[in-house]
Amino acid sequence: MALGSGTSGGTLAPLLTIGGATGAIMGSLVLSIFPDSGISISMAALIGMSSMFAGASRAYLTSITFALEATMQSHALLPLLGACTASYLVSFFLMENTIMTEKIARRGIYTPDSYEPDILSSTSISKVLKKDLLALSEENTIQELKTFFAANPPSENNFLVVDDSGSYRGSISLASIYNENQYPDSLVSSLMNTELPFVSSDDKLAKAVSLMADKGVEYLPVLSSNEENVVIGLLTYKDILTAYKLQLRESVERGTNLSLSRQRRKILLRGRRIMNMNKIRIDKNP
């Protein structure tokens, strides 16, 4: 019918055709049962057309505005609001995808219902940076570090090296410190890596990930954005993964997926509780 009328046979025209026909049929059935109901077939077709589009595409306000602008029937606003709201709620609770995203969802492609900036591009390094930093002095010897680590077992495998003023000088790994070929009196400055790239505390996590991938490293020194060459922390790939996991969890809790999430279940349970409470109150009334 959509193709025969000369319009598009894709999504919009068939939806409007099916919705309008369904509304007209339902209006005719109601008139046959209740002849004095005063239902207009044309109004029933308009409401069916708009509500079908609102439920299938979840374009709630667009469906109502489209119907009003196409017909210029302002008195249809209240029926349109009621029908489109009911259709949208049914679609929201029972359908995982809209008609716009159903095809690509069946191919295994994730189709979010809201679009936000990339988590790594919107999160600054200062938000995920650990405050407790163990920095080594470039004047320390290998034996001094071994003695210190024997009394205080380290939790990290890499350490930053600073001078007496706290300025960043380089980095050194735990494997280099415990290398059997190193002399106990060797200074840290002779073993540290000075070619490691660094990031600023105001930079985004996306920049840190890009540097780690390009240089093939698992950690980056973080320098202060306010003071020149002053190191304030060490950023590892584990910190980035932890921050990414927390951000994803917050997104899921806000309901930014198309599945029946925990919030929708809460809404359903809350609605059932309210209905049960009302039922109890009715039963208690004499």
Side-chain angles (χ1 to χ4, degrees):
M1 292 177 63
L3 290 174
S5 65
T7 58
S8 171
T11 302
L12 183 59
L15 275 180
L16 300 180
T17 303
I18 296 172
T22 304
I25 292 173
M26 294 182 65
S28 300
L29 290 176
V30 174
L31 278 178
S32 63
I33 299 174
F34 304 102
D36 298 330
S37 59
I39 292 180
S40 170
I41 300 299
S42 58
M43 179 65 71
L46 176 63
I47 294 174
M49 179 177 62
S50 182
S51 59
M52 177 68 75
F53 182 65
S57 64
R58 291 188 193 155
Y60 175 69
L61 294 178
T62 302
S63 303
I64 298 175
T65 306
F66 171 76
L68 291 177
E69 289 185 349
T71 61
M72 300 302 291
Q73 300 294 322
S74 59
H75 60 278
L77 177 60
L78 187 58
L80 285 172
L81 284 172
C84 290
T85 301
S87 178
Y88 182 88
L89 290 176
V90 170
S91 172
F92 182 81
F93 285 109
L94 300 182
M95 293 175 56
E96 292 188 359
N97 304 292
T98 68
I99 196 172
M100 310 296 183
T101 59
E102 180 65 28
K103 274 190 170 182
I104 56 177
R106 290 181 181 180
R107 298 174 186 172
I109 301 175
Y110 176 68
T111 54
D113 56 356
S114 63
Y115 299 91
E116 299 177 352
D118 181 23
I119 295 175
L120 299 180
S121 300
S122 59
T123 305
S124 62
I125 295 176
S126 58
K127 292 183 179 180
V128 302
L129 190 63
K130 295 179 180 178
K131 302 299 182 181
D132 50 341
L133 171 66
L134 177 59
L136 308 179
S137 173
E138 62 179 351
E139 301 298 330
N140 287 132
T141 63
I142 299 299
Q143 185 59 44
E144 289 175 348
L145 295 181
K146 289 182 178 180
T147 304
F148 176 79
F149 289 147
N152 305 276
S155 59
E156 301 290 343
N157 296 323
N158 301 281
F159 307 93
L160 300 182
V161 181
V162 297
D163 57 15
D164 294 337
S165 62
S167 299
Y168 171 68
R169 302 294 296 170
S171 64
I172 188 171
S173 64
L174 197 62
S176 299
I177 297 174
Y178 282 94
N179 191 338
E180 297 179 355
N181 297 326
Q182 303 296 346
Y183 293 103
D185 295 334
S186 299
L187 296 178
V188 174
S189 58
S190 63
L191 303 175
M192 65 183 182
N193 179 14
T194 58
E195 298 180 357
L196 187 69
F198 57 87
V199 291
S200 174
S201 58
D202 289 342
D203 291 335
K204 304 299 182 182
L205 290 178
K207 180 179 179 180
V209 172
S210 178
L211 284 175
M212 288 182 179
D214 292 340
K215 303 299 180 180
V217 296
E218 298 180 352
Y219 65 96
L220 291 173
V222 181
L223 305 185
S224 174
S225 58
N226 300 324
E227 303 178 57
E228 184 178 359
N229 208 32
V230 175
V231 63
I232 60 174
L234 180 69
L235 182 69
T236 65
Y237 75 95
K238 293 182 180 179
D239 299 329
I240 299 176
L241 291 177
T242 301
Y244 190 76
K245 181 179 179 181
L246 292 176
Q247 292 286 349
L248 285 179
R249 184 181 302 172
E250 292 178 359
S251 298
V252 171
E253 290 177 353
R254 288 196 301 265
T256 57
N257 56 356
L258 297 181
S259 62
L260 191 61
S261 63
R262 186 185 305 174
Q263 289 186 356
R264 298 181 184 178
R265 295 191 185 100
K266 288 182 178 179
I267 293 175
L268 288 174
L269 292 175
R270 192 175 303 168
R272 292 175 182 174
R273 291 173 183 172
I274 294 174
M275 292 177 65
N276 291 334
M277 290 176 62
N278 292 335
K279 183 178 179 181
I280 293 173
R281 291 174 183 175
I282 293 173
D283 293 341
K284 288 183 178 180
N285 290 333

